[in-house]
Amino acid sequence: MRAITNVQQSIARFKGMDSKDKKTFIKELLINNALYILLVIAVIYTTVQNPAFLKAPAIINIINLSAANLPIACGIAGCIVLTGTDLSAGRVVGLTACISASLLQSVDYATKMFPDLPVLPIPLVILAVILVGGIVGWVNGFFVAKFQLHPFIVTLATQLIVYGVLLMYIMINGNNGQPLSGLDSSFKNFVTGSVVSAGKVAIPNYVWYALLIVILMWFIWNKTTFGKNMFAVGSNPDAANVSGVNVMKTTIMVHTLAGMMYGITGFIESARIGSNQANTGLNYECDAIAACVIGGVSFVGGTGKISGVVMGVFLLRIIFVALNFLSINANMQYIIKGLIILVACAIDMRKYLVRK
């Protein structure tokens, strides 16, 4: 309803403008929505070139891929609200994915990493990876808040540290860096199994887990004092401090929550991929950051919605799937991803400068 009201107000305002103002309004509208316009063009072009793009299997695939990336995007969005970022996110996903895989390998798997360890209860493993992710997030938040270090530097350092820990972890018990596979069927069924199908296409369980996480994060952002404090600190930390907000505590909590989301992402990715190694999670933070910016989470701080993050994740995934349907070279896709991030950030900053 709010969106319809905003559109109606914009139309009414447009009708009352003179020709010069109308041209300026249209120009700003095109620039501010350039990514969405390009997306529509891309979808139409891809569908013309390959009609299978808009058929049920492809649409379900987009939903599945988006769901797998929602937890990490929801986590990193909080860091962006605080005018920061988190370069360690992908490596935390990789570490927690490998931890999940190593603890949930079948007992009869020939190269089981811990041969004397039974398959642990899934809730216990979830708690373990959330704890690992939360610890990394806490460290990030502590150094950002306590020593006023830029999040880019702090998370770059923890990215390297976590990657080093990951490399050492997959060498344990003579594993020698081999991919961690042979996952127990109970783990795979819990994550990638399906209780609901759309026609002949199964919807994996992790889609519903992602939906629960989105609802939880929406509640935290919009209905808790912590969420209000997060936006206050992101908008103006000095003013928030004067208003009685504990800036240090809020900053640490935001990064800790982000780390916990990375841990959940790693748990899901472990079963979804099925074979986990040192490169699991590589560059995941880039896609998450791009999705957040596309979804309206601003690097200038204090601005963003969980609904926007969800929309950004879906839009970005649509673009990536479209590139595959168009058989775009895999190396070229990296260039396109980089351009998307650059354009999204440029549009975001331009909006800020116009408001300022």
Side-chain angles (χ1 to χ4, degrees):
M1 290 298 292
R2 183 181 297 177
I4 295 174
T5 303
N6 291 338
V7 171
Q8 291 174 338
Q9 291 174 348
S10 298
I11 293 174
R13 190 167 65 252
F14 179 76
K15 289 180 178 178
M17 297 177 180
D18 56 32
S19 59
K20 183 179 179 181
D21 289 338
K22 285 182 178 179
K23 290 180 180 179
T24 303
F25 179 83
I26 294 173
K27 177 183 176 183
E28 292 296 321
L29 185 67
L30 291 175
I31 293 175
N32 292 336
N33 296 280
L35 285 174
Y36 297 101
I37 295 171
L38 290 174
L39 175 68
V40 172
I41 294 173
V43 169
I44 295 173
Y45 178 77
T46 305
T47 305
V48 171
Q49 295 295 317
N50 191 337
F53 180 63
L54 288 184
K55 291 185 178 180
I59 294 174
I60 296 298
N61 182 46
I62 291 172
I63 293 173
N64 293 347
L65 294 173
S66 299
N69 287 274
L70 275 173
I72 184 176
C74 288
I76 212 166
C79 301
I80 298 176
V81 168
L82 295 185
T83 70
T85 187
D86 194 340
L87 301 181
S88 67
R91 291 306 185 186
V92 176
V93 169
L95 175 60
T96 51
C98 287
I99 290 174
S100 300
S102 65
L103 298 179
L104 291 167
Q105 287 179 303
S106 300
V107 292
D108 57 352
Y109 187 60
T111 57
K112 182 175 170 62
M113 189 170 179
F114 300 110
D116 298 326
L117 187 72
V119 178
L120 296 183
I122 289 177
L124 181 61
V125 176
I126 294 175
L127 289 175
V129 295
I130 287 177
L131 178 62
V132 170
I135 289 173
V136 177
W138 185 91
V139 171
N140 287 336
F142 177 79
F143 278 90
V144 169
K146 181 69 174 178
F147 301 104
Q148 300 297 304
L149 297 176
H150 196 284
F152 181 91
I153 299 300
V154 174
T155 58
L156 175 62
T158 51
Q159 178 195 65
L160 297 173
I161 293 170
V162 171
Y163 186 47
V165 172
L166 170 58
L167 292 175
M168 291 189 291
Y169 184 82
I170 59 177
M171 298 294 289
I172 294 176
N173 281 352
N175 188 67
N176 295 325
Q178 298 179 65
L180 297 169
S181 52
L183 305 180
D184 189 72
S185 58
S186 62
F187 178 35
K188 291 187 289 186
N189 290 335
F190 180 79
V191 176
T192 61
S194 176
V195 294
V196 178
S197 298
K200 296 182 179 179
V201 183
I203 300 177
N205 293 331
Y206 65 80
V207 171
W208 310 115
Y209 306 150
L211 179 60
L212 290 175
I213 289 170
V214 167
I215 294 172
L216 174 63
M217 292 297 289
W218 178 89
F219 179 82
I220 291 174
W221 277 35
N222 295 280
K223 300 298 181 180
T224 66
T225 302
F226 164 70
K228 296 176 182 177
N229 291 345
M230 177 183 72
F231 283 103
V233 173
S235 297
N236 190 326
D238 294 329
N241 187 51
V242 172
S243 301
V245 176
N246 189 326
V247 175
M248 180 174 178
K249 179 181 177 181
T250 301
T251 303
I252 292 175
M253 288 178 64
V254 169
H255 283 85
T256 302
L257 179 60
M260 294 166 68
M261 291 296 104
Y262 308 155
I264 294 174
T265 304
F267 176 82
I268 292 174
E269 284 297 277
S270 180
R272 194 178 74 87
I273 295 173
S275 180
N276 300 271
Q277 52 190 333
N279 282 335
T280 299
L282 179 64
N283 291 331
Y284 276 34
E285 68 277 2
C286 296
D287 290 354
I289 291 170
C292 290
V293 176
I294 291 173
V297 184
S298 176
F299 273 105
V300 300
T303 303
K305 296 180 180 179
I306 288 297
S307 59
V309 175
V310 175
M311 182 63 69
V313 169
F314 272 99
L315 292 178
L316 197 64
R317 196 52 52 186
I318 289 171
I319 294 172
F320 293 166
V321 171
L323 293 176
N324 289 325
F325 267 85
L326 294 173
S327 301
I328 301 296
N329 183 277
N331 298 328
M332 186 64 186
Q333 291 187 26
Y334 284 105
I335 297 175
I336 295 174
K337 289 181 182 181
L339 288 173
I340 290 172
I341 296 174
L342 189 62
V343 172
C345 290
I347 293 174
D348 172 60
M349 184 54 64
R350 188 180 184 281
K351 290 179 182 177
Y352 169 72
L353 293 175
V354 169
R355 290 196 303 267
K356 189 175 180 181

